[in-house]
């Protein structure tokens, strides 16, 4: 996992993990989002399309609506956004970073 500094004091932004680990994330793929970062899971605040969104499971949940999701932890700030679409056909690539020369598995799914 890669962590990005949020401030000079060394705080780190939370990371929004996607399972299954393919991009783009699609609703029909039963996507689970998990917010990982400093602080306790109960301190997680979720946002969908820029609006605060209350959930029962504080650090992870199964996505049931398409949209753009972020999570926030008081001690580490806001994660990068993850978009979950409802497109009927997608070209999937692994969610982790790829470098030139890497062997990459692509999936066409619908």
């Amino acid at each position: 996992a890669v962590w990005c500094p949020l401030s000079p004091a060394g705080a780190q932004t939370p990371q929004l993990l996607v399972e299954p680990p393919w991009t783009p994330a699609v609703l029909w793929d039963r996507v689970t989002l998990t917010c990982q970062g400093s602080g306790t899971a109960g301190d997680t605040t979720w946002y969908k399309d820029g609006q605060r969104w209350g959930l029962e499971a504080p650090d992870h949940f199964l996505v049931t609506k398409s949209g753009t999701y972020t999570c926030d932890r008081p001690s580490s700030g806001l994660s990068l956004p993850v978009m979950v679409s409802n497109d009927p056909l997608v070209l999937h690539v692994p969610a982790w970073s790829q470098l030139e020369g890497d062997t990459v598995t692509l999936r066409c799914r619908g």
Side-chain angles (χ1 to χ4, degrees):
V2 177
W3 296 92
C4 301
L6 174 68
S7 70
Q12 296 173 327
T13 60
Q15 187 173 27
L16 194 45
L17 303 180
V18 181
E19 183 63 37
W22 295 90
T23 61
V26 285
L27 194 59
W28 44 262
D29 216 11
R30 293 187 52 82
V31 173
T32 298
L33 297 180
T34 302
C35 189
Q36 285 191 343
S38 58
T40 61
D43 291 338
T44 303
T45 302
W46 288 96
Y47 296 88
K48 179 183 177 294
D49 301 324
Q51 302 293 314
R52 186 180 173 128
W53 198 49
L55 294 170
E56 290 181 13
D59 67 340
H60 69 281
F61 70 98
L62 178 67
V63 178
T64 58
K65 295 180 185 286
S66 59
T68 301
Y69 294 87
T70 53
C71 67
D72 178 81
R73 295 271 180 95
S75 58
S76 52
L78 196 64
S79 71
L80 292 174
V82 167
M83 189 178 101
V84 180
S85 75
N86 201 21
D87 293 339
L89 182 66
V90 294
L91 179 62
H92 267 158
V93 298
W96 54 88
S97 298
Q98 304 297 317
L99 300 174
E100 185 176 347
D102 287 350
T103 300
V104 178
T105 300
L106 302 177
R107 304 189 313 179
C108 184
R109 301 197 53 221

